[in-house]
Amino acid sequence: MIPKMMQSMTLPAKSVQASRRQFLLGALAAGGGLAVGFNIAAMAPALASETAAGDGQHSFSPYVVIDGDGKVTVLSSQFEMGQGSYNGLATLVAEELGADWATIDVVGAAGNVKVYGNIAFGGAIQGTGGSTSMVTSWERYRKAGAAARTMLVAAAAAEWGVNAAEITVENGVLSHPSGKSGHFGVFAAKAATLPVPAEVTLKQPAEWTLIGNEKLKRFDSARKANGTQQYTIDVKLPGLLTAVMIHPPLFGAKVKSFNAEEAKKVKGVVDVVETPRGVAVVGDTMWAAIKGRDAVTVEWDDTGAEKRSTTDLMAMYRDLAGKAPVATARNDGNVETGFASAAKVLEANFEFPYLAHAPMEPLNAVARMNEDGTLEVWGGLQFPDVQQQIASQIAGVAVDKVHLHVMKAGGSFGRRATFDGDIVAEAVHVAKAIGFRAPVKVQWTRENDMRAGRYRPAYVHSVKAGLDADGKLVAWENHVVGQSIMAKTAFEGSIQNGVDPTSVEGANNLPYAIPNQKVGLTTTEVGVPVLWWRSVGSTHTAFAAEVFLDEVAEAAGRDPVEFRLSMLEPDSRHAVVLKLVAEKAGWDKPLPEGRFRGVSVAESFGSVVAQVAEVTADGSGGIKVERIVAAVDCGLAVNPDQVRSQVEGGIGFGLGSILGEEITLTGGQVDQGNFDTYTPLRIDAMPTVEVHILASANAPSGIGEPGVPPTGPAVANAAYRALGKRIRVMPFAKALNA
């Protein structure tokens, strides 16, 4: 998704100051109930004026609402795309509130970055990514729940004429030893009239019943199982039209002209319009729009288009990897001296292809202009305030006239976190092109999703290591070659001295004690649109480092686990999870004949994950992954079951990316279009997975992404022992057939 570096990025002072005001809580009556959240009016008048005037933001937006029936609704600043952020926030609020888990609901919130801005990003933007949902929510949502509980208790105490300290709160009910009791809804309206506590006392871990509960099930599981959960693809509005897109076959090409005469003869086709990103065919139904699309002819201007094949690009990358890097990301000690003194020097190149995000729900968005001049947008809004701004610019309305409906999404993996509005911009452009006469849903097909760009960049690594006579690693050098994700985006300022941190994260912060280390970067100029992809830079840097490290350990005659531990502080997070995974996987015990093990460990997004993979040879020159054991340090696990699910899912995601997935281009055109040619992991290839969570009292860190990086290298290291062949080119299918 979004890179770890965004958790510590430099932002304007005013924006950072806004994040420090997140805990100034306020409350108001909400339809006979209570709403608790951030209240700009509670600040000093000058400060409130500065933040509220002229920016289209509301002065109050809640984190939690309790209605007259006792139902509790959490308004999530974090976008839900399957990773469980809604469930995590519900847990935080319900724990402190003392709510009945069965009455909890969560909806997406947007439209007030002063309230919902991601603290991990400095508070300047409301965004979900970088596995920061619990990082940004951990304190403020608990405080909102605790404040609501305190106010309900005060209301009940006043109603009953008793001491508030004598009232207990459990499962949505307030009780007093006298026998008096009542559910939240009874006191919500009264509580809304009381002062908001300036300070609240959070529960101690010993009092928790929901946070860390191994048996707590997701509040939304039933909806997903019975099909009632609504996604953007399910949105239905009166008069809704559906549009499908014809995108340029080459990246950078533009529409020169198009002929829609035959398309308009198709029953159900309403219009065919040009947009900045191609041609949209608008129909009463998606099927009509697709049939119409097939009848449109488009002439493209490909003057500025990218026309190189991936074969050409990778050849160029290999050539660049053999030269001196353009920029330096890390330079410890003196690698030249280290290599000169080494008794043995090893070198290897690693190649990584473009990868698609391929979420189960292809991109979509809905736009409707209302008679009162407000624009409504429905979609999987990973950066809602950015998408709100862009929608307002396209439609020509004020920002506060754009009302967002934050929908759950059937996956994203970073794909919906764009800074140009992407699918939302397309929906508003199409609606505008037809004069806003009807609401429009732009729905991409799988082929649109696969061929319209925004890929994990392709990379080549040239890695070199030096061992002394005692088998100690004394020099390490890695030259990374690939495209920049941050260039020409709102975060271009994060590129320092020619180094895009997303290209080298995971490479320039290796945890191992190597006295001489150098990481170089050469950034390429290629017209293929790229974007962060689940675990971003660590998707390739961890593979190159951990696979090559295994090769170095073999050259030193050392056990792979022992070799890594020898370069780690004994009590470091990396060492602890590595020892835990070795123990749980039985690293020191013999395997059945024909099974082989590999190990890896990687840190990403504030968490450390180690994995041991077991594989067998499949008899046709390939492997079958039989078992993966993972050990995880992600700080305190708010929802342990969800942590395991994310690591399991990350392992499946990571396996698909190394075994068979790749995006290739021929003459600049993407070759893959659907899951017959782009091959994510099939269910029969999913191994047995065990996840062991390290007990921790530290605040939660990331978990949506850190399970991905160690998977590939652990499997590759095991595959070497099974096949006797080092795998350095992704995907495995290509390397093993070479």
Side-chain angles (χ1 to χ4, degrees), residues 71-74 90 93-94 97 99-106 219 223:
K71 180 182 177 180
V72 178
T73 301
V74 178
V93 170
L97 183 57
D100 179 357
W101 189 246
T103 69
I104 290 285
D105 196 10
V106 184
F219 77 95
R223 301 174 202 175

Side-chain angles (χ1 to χ4, degrees), residues 79-82 224 229-235 286 357-366 378-382 405-416 422-423 441-450 675:
F79 171 48
E80 175 61 75
M81 43 195 149
K224 292 185 176 183
Q229 180 61 62
Q230 295 292 292
Y231 298 87
T232 309
I233 200 169
D234 302 311
V235 171
M286 187 170 181
H357 299 76
M360 288 305 296
E361 181 187 20
L363 293 189
N364 43 31
V366 177
W378 289 258
L381 307 175
Q382 200 163 348
H405 300 271
V406 182
M407 306 295 291
K408 287 186 177 181
S412 173
F413 314 117
R415 182 60 186 83
R416 295 176 184 267
D422 200 27
I423 187 69
K441 178 193 294 182
V442 173
Q443 176 65 59
W444 281 16
T445 63
R446 178 61 61 192
E447 287 74 17
N448 286 137
D449 191 68
M450 201 69 72
F675 291 138

Side-chain angles (χ1 to χ4, degrees), residues 310-311 313-319 321 348-355 456-463 481 539-540 543-544 657-658 661-662 727-732 734-735:
T310 43
T311 302
L313 293 173
M314 295 308 284
M316 177 184 73
Y317 283 22
R318 290 185 209 106
D319 180 62
N349 279 4
F350 294 85
E351 299 181 14
F352 304 89
Y354 289 107
L355 293 174
R456 196 284 303 273
Y459 291 95
V460 168
H461 286 239
S462 177
V463 194
V481 179
T539 63
H540 54 99
F543 189 97
S657 73
I658 63 163
E661 295 178 27
E662 68 173 330
I727 299 174
R728 297 175 181 150
V729 176
M730 299 294 101
F732 281 25
K734 178 183 288 185

